[in-house]
């Protein structure tokens, strides 16, 4: 089947396809697009004819993308973003009347940032929506695809289609409950003999910087538990004798709430440097510039 001429392509269908490929569910896509499931199903039928491909194949309760659809999932966000920028290029951004959705990627320990961001923008831009997404190993790829407006993370390189500014560096410390026996006579030996808590926000990726440094010292620490985020970590530390070695920013707000104590790490570790990054192609847009300015302001409070 010959490809459809560009003049025959309904761009609204591509918007529906982009959401379907992300959600892989007609109901969720309909909710996101504010359409009925019937309308989304009808759009999918038209898309299948347009591309001469099933695109999404039902497998039980989920829909699995075909090989062609996987390629489209990689390219569509950037294409749609370019079209949107071409239409709105040069337009002035008015936060007071905007209902734009701004999306920020950040580690879970930066979540309180969203509350400060909401407070700072509430009067100036009452109609906008702020979404905070968790930082994952796929964050850079998703930023390049135009999924998000800004990202806070350790990647501060001006490459891969991103631009970034450092927002601060934090030394590594050890958290434990108040009165933890290791803190009575704090030393490397005290650190080594106790059970440790590990936070793993992504899948297993080999030894992290803490275990690499400990191994060089001839120490193999014993991990007593692995948790998926730092919010869970604070509660776990408060109720056990486990220790957590992490950058000081990770439990900065939670340490007081959970009555945790802190000591400097008993061996050298390179500080964690966080950067604010944005897509090189969209970072000059007036709305993104406005958003980045406010994110920078609240990031100043992290130092």
């Amino acid at each position: 089947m010959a490809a459809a001429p560009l003049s025959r392509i309904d761009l609204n269908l591509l918007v529906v396809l982009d959401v379907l490929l992300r959600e892989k569910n007609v109901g969720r896509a309909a909710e996101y697009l504010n359409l009925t499931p019937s309308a989304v199903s009808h759009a999918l039928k038209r898309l299948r004819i347009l591309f001469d491909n099933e695109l999404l194949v039902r497998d039980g309760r989920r829909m699995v993308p075909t090989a062609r659809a996987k390629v489209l999932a990689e390219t569509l966000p950037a294409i749609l973003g370019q079209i949107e920028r071409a239409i709105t290029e040069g337009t002035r951004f008015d936060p007071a009347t905007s209902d734009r959705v701004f999306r920020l990627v950040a580690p879970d320990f930066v979540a309180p940032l969203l509350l400060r961001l909401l407070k700072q923008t509430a009067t100036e831009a009452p109609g906008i929506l702020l979404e905070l997404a968790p930082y994952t190993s796929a964050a850079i790829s998703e930023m390049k695809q135009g999924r998000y407006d800004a990202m806070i993370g350790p990647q501060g390189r001006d490459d891969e289609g991103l631009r970034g500014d450092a927002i601060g560096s934090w030394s590594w410390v050890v958290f434990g409950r108040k009165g933890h026996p290791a803190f009575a006579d704090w030393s490397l030996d005290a650190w080594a003999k106790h059970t440790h808590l590990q936070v793993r926000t992504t899948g297993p990726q080999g030894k992290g910087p803490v275990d690499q440094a400990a191994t060089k010292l001839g120490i193999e620490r014993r991990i007593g538990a692995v948790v998926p985020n730092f919010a869970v970590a604070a509660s776990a530390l408060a109720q056990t004798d486990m220790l957590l070695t992490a950058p000081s920013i990770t439990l900065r707000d939670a340490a007081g709430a959970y009555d945790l104590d802190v000591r400097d790490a008993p061996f050298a570790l390179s500080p964690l440097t966080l950067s604010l990054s944005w897509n090189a192609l969209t970072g000059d847009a007036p709305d993104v510039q406005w958003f980045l300015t406010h994110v920078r302001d609240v990031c100043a409070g992290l130092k």
Side-chain angles (χ1 to χ4, degrees):
M1 178 178 177
L6 186 60
S7 61
R8 288 175 48 198
I9 297 177
D10 181 351
L11 290 180
N12 289 320
L13 287 178
L14 298 184
V15 173
V16 173
L17 179 57
D18 181 46
V19 176
L20 273 170
L21 292 175
R22 187 166 69 245
E23 299 294 336
K24 300 179 181 63
N25 181 281
V26 169
R28 289 199 300 270
E31 183 177 354
Y32 184 92
L33 293 164
N34 197 26
L35 296 172
T36 65
S38 176
V40 174
S41 294
H42 179 67
L44 180 56
K45 290 178 182 178
R46 294 177 62 193
L47 284 161
R48 284 167 170 164
I49 294 172
L50 178 65
F51 287 96
D52 192 23
N53 188 281
E54 285 194 76
L55 298 176
L56 289 158
V57 179
R58 186 167 296 282
D59 181 12
R61 293 186 176 181
R62 63 188 186 126
M63 301 185 80
V64 181
T66 63
R68 178 77 185 280
K70 289 179 180 178
V71 174
L72 289 168
E74 291 292 324
T75 57
L76 262 183
I79 292 171
L80 293 174
Q82 288 174 351
I83 293 172
E84 183 176 1
R85 289 192 298 276
I87 294 172
T88 61
E89 185 177 3
T91 59
R92 186 176 67 88
F93 176 65
D94 182 7
T97 60
S98 176
D99 59 357
R100 191 190 189 288
V101 179
F102 289 98
R103 297 179 174 91
L104 172 67
V105 178
D108 76 287
F109 55 80
V110 186
L113 185 75
L114 183 63
L115 300 178
R116 299 179 193 131
L117 201 55
L118 284 168
K119 183 178 180 179
Q120 187 177 103
T121 59
T123 302
E124 184 181 353
I128 67 169
L129 173 63
L130 297 178
E131 291 185 4
L132 183 65
Y135 181 89
T136 68
S137 57
I140 290 180
S141 174
E142 291 171 338
M143 280 290 297
K144 289 171 61 178
Q145 293 173 13
R147 299 278 191 207
Y148 305 105
D149 299 293
M151 174 179 72
I152 295 175
Q155 280 75 18
R157 306 181 303 275
D158 283 353
D159 62 10
E160 298 179 324
L162 300 184
R163 300 293 180 265
D165 293 332
I167 59 176
S169 293
W170 290 267
S171 61
W172 289 70
V173 297
V174 181
F175 295 96
R177 66 171 178 81
K178 287 282 187 181
H180 194 292
F183 295 155
D185 186 17
W186 184 237
S187 65
L188 178 61
D189 288 341
W191 180 91
K193 79 175 187 177
H194 283 278
T195 303
H196 293 257
L197 180 68
Q198 185 177 51
V199 177
R200 184 184 297 155
T201 56
T202 58
Q205 297 178 335
K207 287 187 176 182
V210 175
D211 287 310
Q212 290 177 21
T215 299
K216 289 180 180 179
L217 296 171
I219 298 170
E220 291 296 327
R221 64 174 181 164
R222 187 168 71 84
I223 304 298
V226 178
V227 295
N229 56 58
F230 286 95
V232 176
S235 176
L237 291 175
Q239 301 176 63
T240 69
D241 275 343
M242 288 187 289
L243 298 171
L244 173 65
T245 306
S248 59
I249 189 177
T250 56
L251 294 185
R252 190 191 68 163
D253 295 319
Y258 285 90
D259 202 26
L260 302 180
D261 208 345
V262 60
R263 297 289 188 276
D264 290 335
F267 46 81
L269 288 163
S270 297
L272 170 70
T273 298
L274 293 178
S275 295
L276 171 64
S277 301
W278 57 90
N279 190 302
L281 296 177
T282 60
D284 62 343
D287 51 351
V288 178
Q289 284 290 308
W290 176 88
F291 183 58
L292 289 171
T293 296
H294 282 283
V295 176
R296 286 190 185 95
D297 286 346
V298 296
C299 282
L302 296 175
K303 298 176 182 178

